[in-house]
């Protein structure tokens, strides 16, 4: 297979397959989780402003008192790479063109120098978190194969994308094809690994907020 | 698979719901919950990381409720939950968890970890893996009526003492009273001042109240052990008593888990909403204070701090009332770091204080409370939970700290003017 054939495949059948598995996977997993339902809470509720599912969905994005100081690496590197990923994925001009071809809608992007800078920050933050996972006893203790695997799944698209733009190591066409391939792997595995927290995080925060909100506790 | 394990697995499958499924799928192993847990912070042992305490339940969830997990189980790629594993987990699910809920409020993805531990305990209990200490307490509550084996004559004896000391009648089984006052064994045996305080406060507020001869014990070891059937039997006594006496409000004593059992779990255990209200004594005092029904005199002048019982504050939403009450009678009230919503547990909640083999670990965990005390250097500690009180007294004794612990209700009552003595009519 030539470089061009490889690129054509990942842009065509490969992409269709990955998006198909991703969409079906997400729908199935959401059904599998949330169809379990929960019992109605019969205790007399106590109503307090700010104690609800929706408020916890937002509030939990902010570290509770004292926690930022306690675990700065997890919080700071965590914020940087999450926000970084969002900026790169949704505001890099070529990505917006891709979404436009897929969804038919478009929006303004950020200058490519800014995206470059964000990509480097994201790569650094992810390396810091990997180092933290290896060296911090609690994280090391909790880590399984999935934790290393999903780290790689998330890291590779960023790295290959940045390298393609910088024309590093491999010809642009090959690197771009590798970039798309790693994104496809990410899409395929996302619904079936801990990466699925990208979806369930909203449900989890909402349940937490609602269950405790019933008691009048703003968590 | 042994019969008991089979039962435990069946119970676990029943209690796993959408929130638990969502929580397990959201965990990214960030480890922040460990930093919120006093059993981890004081020992540094990663096995006390809260989410790790749920590992057997997580695997069971995956094997039973996810397509991929079922497939892995089918082809022999997953490890089944075993008796030996659950036995090993006893220490993690009971001894080193007081259901304090700090982990639940720091989890960045919003996992209510303590909600899961509470449910996991149902399976642990059904499979025979609950600690003897709490099992004994639950059985005594079912058979004798209280976890410490206290019977009605002991309550009657206390009533007589209080009536003599305060010159106020202690009503028993008074139909149509506004409040039904519940007690914990600890208050009957170790802190009888509580009953006298209630009599004085109700007298001044001009409220009618009563004890109930068939339901005086509010603590619920059935809930702590994780056995909903036992918890239901214990709660139903109180519900029947309250309905028989037609009271408007049942008052939970200064006991955190009694409050959770009655206020938040009670109706769900019974399967129907209550026809009466449930309030913690601190909430009732807060209402009286707002309505101007508490007219206190004088102030405590020594340096006081307040220990928030987890089930009252973080898990129960009562945070302001105790502070307003403290300020009403104390001139020199200082807050500990993290006080209120983020307060650190005494180390003995959730039934942990009843586990003999957990004592050494409990004393380790108490170093957190000790460091909070060392920071503010109070002359006395005030709290609103008899269990916190006894656990802190043990910890303070262990670390040779001379620091008295008192109950807030009694402190308030101490500042009420003595009632005009009316001899109780003979009983």
């Amino acid at each position: 297979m030539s470089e061009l054939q490889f690129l054509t495949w990942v842009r065509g059948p490969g992409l269709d397959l990955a998006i198909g598995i991703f969409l079906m996977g997400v729908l199935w997993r959401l059904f599998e989780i949330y169809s379990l339902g929960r019992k109605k809470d019969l205790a007399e509720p106590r109503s307090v402003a700010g104690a609800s599912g929706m408020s916890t969905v937002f509030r939990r994005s902010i570290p509770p008192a004292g926690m930022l100081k306690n675990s700065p690496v997890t919080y700071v590197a965590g914020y940087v790479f999450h926000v970084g990923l969002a900026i790169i994925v949704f505001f890099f001009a070529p990505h917006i063109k891709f979404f436009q071809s897929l969804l038919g809608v478009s929006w303004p992007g950020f200058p490519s120098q800014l995206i470059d800078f964000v990509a480097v920050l994201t790569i650094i933050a992810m390396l810091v978190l990997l180092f933290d996972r290896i060296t911090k006893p609690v994280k090391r203790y909790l880590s399984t194969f999935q934790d290393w695997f999903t780290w790689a799944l998330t890291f590779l698209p960023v790295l290959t994308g940045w390298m393609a733009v910088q024309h590093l190591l491999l010809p642009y066409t090959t690197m771009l094809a590798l970039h798309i391939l790693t994104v496809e792997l990410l899409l395929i595995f996302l619904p079936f690994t801990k990466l699925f927290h990208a979806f369930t995080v909203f449900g989890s925060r909402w349940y937490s907020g609602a269950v405790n909100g019933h008691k009048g506790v703003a968590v | 698979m042994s019969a008991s394990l089979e039962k435990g697995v069946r119970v676990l499958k029943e209690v796993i719901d959408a929130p638990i499924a969502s929580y397990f799928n959201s965990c990214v192993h960030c480890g922040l919950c460990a930093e919120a847990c006093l059993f981890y912070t004081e020992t540094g042992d990663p096995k006390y990381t809260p989410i790790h305490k749920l590992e057997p339940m997580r695997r069971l969830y995956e094997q039973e409720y996810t397509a991929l997990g079922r497939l892995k189980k089918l082809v022999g790629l997953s490890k089944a939950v075993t008796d030996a594993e659950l036995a090993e987990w006893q220490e993690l699910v009971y001894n080193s968890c007081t259901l304090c809920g700090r982990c639940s409020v720091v989890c960045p993805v919003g996992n209510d970890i303590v909600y899961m531990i509470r449910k996991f305990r149902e399976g642990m209990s059904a499979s025979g893996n609950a600690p003897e200490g709490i099992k004994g307490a639950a059985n005594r509550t079912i058979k004798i009526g209280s976890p410490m084996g206290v019977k009605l004559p002991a309550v009657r004896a206390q009533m007589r003492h209080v009536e003599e000391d305060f010159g106020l009648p202690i009503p028993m089984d008074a139909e149509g009273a506004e409040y039904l006052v519940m007690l914990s064994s600890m208050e009957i045996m170790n802190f009888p001042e509580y009953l006298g305080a209630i009599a004085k406060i109700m007298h001044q507020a001009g409220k009618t109240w009563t004890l109930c001869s068939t339901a005086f014990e509010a603590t619920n070891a059935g809930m702590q052990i994780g056995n909903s059937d036992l918890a239901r039997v214990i709660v139903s006594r109180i519900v029947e008593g309250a309905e028989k006496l037609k009271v408007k409000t049942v008052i939970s004593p200064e006991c955190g888990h009694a409050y959770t059992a009655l206020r938040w779990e009670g109706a769900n255990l019974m399967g129907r909403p209550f026809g009466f209200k449930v309030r913690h004594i601190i909430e009732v005092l807060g209402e009286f204070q707002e309505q101007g029904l508490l007219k206190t005199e004088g102030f405590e002048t020594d340096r006081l701090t307040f220990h928030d019982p987890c089930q009252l504050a973080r898990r129960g939403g009562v945070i302001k009332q105790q502070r307003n009450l403290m300020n009403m009678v104390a001139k020199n009230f200082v807050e500990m770091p993290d006080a209120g919503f983020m307060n650190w547990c005494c180390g003995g909640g959730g039934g942990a204080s009843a586990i003999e083999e957990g004592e050494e670990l409990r004393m380790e965990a108490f170093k957190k409370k000790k460091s909070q005390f060392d920071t503010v250097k109070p002359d006395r500690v005030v709290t609103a939970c008899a269990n916190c009180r006894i656990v802190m007294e043990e910890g303070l004794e262990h670390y040779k700290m001379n620091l008295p612990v008192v109950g807030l209700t009694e402190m308030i009552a101490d500042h009420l003017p003595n009632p005009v003595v009316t001899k109780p009519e003979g009983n």
Side-chain angles (χ1 to χ4, degrees), chain B residues 4-26:
Chain B
S4 62
L5 179 62
E6 212 168 303
K7 200 174 155 210
V9 167
R10 198 177 64 234
V11 169
L12 278 179
K13 280 168 72 175
E14 271 169 36
V15 298
I16 291 173
D17 55 7
I20 293 183
S22 186
Y23 298 154
F24 278 139
N25 278 286
S26 299

Side-chain angles (χ1 to χ4, degrees), chain B residues 150-364:
Chain B
V150 175
K151 292 183 190 169
L152 189 60
V155 180
R156 287 201 187 278
Q158 280 297 358
M159 287 167 63
R160 269 196 306 279
H161 287 308
V162 173
E163 285 177 335
E164 278 163 21
D165 290 352
F166 289 82
L168 289 171
I170 305 292
M172 172 73 95
D173 295 332
E175 214 181 289
E178 185 169 354
Y179 294 103
L180 168 58
V181 170
M182 302 300 304
L183 302 167
S184 67
S185 301
M186 208 76 94
E187 280 150 347
I188 303 165
M189 300 307 288
N190 297 354
F191 308 122
E193 317 84 276
Y194 179 75
L195 193 55
I198 293 287
K200 239 176 130 179
I201 290 163
M202 290 295 183
H203 177 80
Q204 205 213 36
K207 299 285 185 183
T208 55
W209 66 289
T210 184
L211 297 177
C212 174
S213 58
T214 53
F216 52 86
E217 173 65 58
T219 58
N220 195 323
M223 183 189 74
Q224 296 175 329
I225 200 176
N227 185 321
S228 285
D229 293 332
L230 296 185
R232 186 176 306 115
V233 171
I234 299 169
V235 161
S236 66
R237 287 177 189 157
I238 301 168
V239 176
E240 280 157 22
E243 286 171 349
K244 185 181 72 192
L245 297 174
K246 302 183 183 68
V247 297
K248 288 200 186 80
T249 303
V250 173
I251 302 182
S252 162
E254 289 197 349
C255 170
H257 277 84
Y259 179 59
T260 290
L262 260 174
R263 179 68 178 89
W264 307 116
E265 290 212 12
N268 294 309
L269 289 165
M270 298 296 288
R272 61 179 171 91
F274 292 161
F276 50 87
K277 286 181 177 158
V278 177
R279 295 290 179 268
H280 190 276
I281 181 65
I282 297 304
E283 286 179 285
V284 175
L285 292 180
E287 280 171 31
F288 286 0
Q289 186 185 15
E290 266 184 19
Q291 293 160 5
L293 296 174
L294 284 182
K295 293 188 184 68
T296 54
E297 299 173 337
F299 290 94
E300 304 288 327
T301 50
D302 54 345
R303 196 171 165 83
L304 300 178
T305 193
F306 188 84
H307 163 77
D308 285 280
C310 307
Q311 300 301 314
L312 184 63
R314 183 165 43 249
R315 300 298 289 172
V318 180
I319 294 173
K320 281 194 195 126
Q321 291 93 321
Q322 53 269 49
R323 294 180 160 73
N324 293 340
L325 290 162
M326 285 294 290
N327 285 324
M328 185 165 63
V329 296
K331 280 265 194 246
N332 193 359
F333 167 42
V334 285
E335 292 276 23
M336 285 179 277
D338 298 325
F341 183 66
M342 289 303 281
N343 193 38
W344 291 91
C345 180
C346 64
S353 62
I355 306 169
E356 221 173 295
E357 61 274 24
E359 197 188 328
E360 202 182 320
L361 180 63
R362 207 153 55 237
M363 290 303 142
E364 274 301 290

Side-chain angles (χ1 to χ4, degrees), chain A residues 29 32 34 37 41-42 44 46 60 70 133 139 141-142 147 194 197 200 204-205 207-208 212 215 217, chain B residues 17-18 22 25-26 28-30 35 52 67 104 107-108 110 112 259 263 268 279 283 314-316:
Chain A
R29 295 284 288 122
E32 193 174 72
Y34 294 103
D41 194 339
L42 300 170
E44 177 208 346
R46 183 200 283 141
R60 203 53 76 89
N70 174 288
R133 186 169 287 288
K139 283 189 184 177
Y141 187 82
L142 292 176
D147 293 287
K194 73 168 188 177
H197 77 275
T200 55
S204 295
R205 286 180 179 182
Y207 277 135
S208 225
N212 290 287
K215 305 197 281 186
V217 190
Chain B
D17 55 7
S22 186
N25 278 286
S26 299
V28 291
H29 288 170
C30 73
E35 304 299 330
H52 174 67
S104 292
C107 174
D112 193 346
Y259 179 59
R263 179 68 178 89
N268 294 309
R279 295 290 179 268
E283 286 179 285
R314 183 165 43 249
R315 300 298 289 172

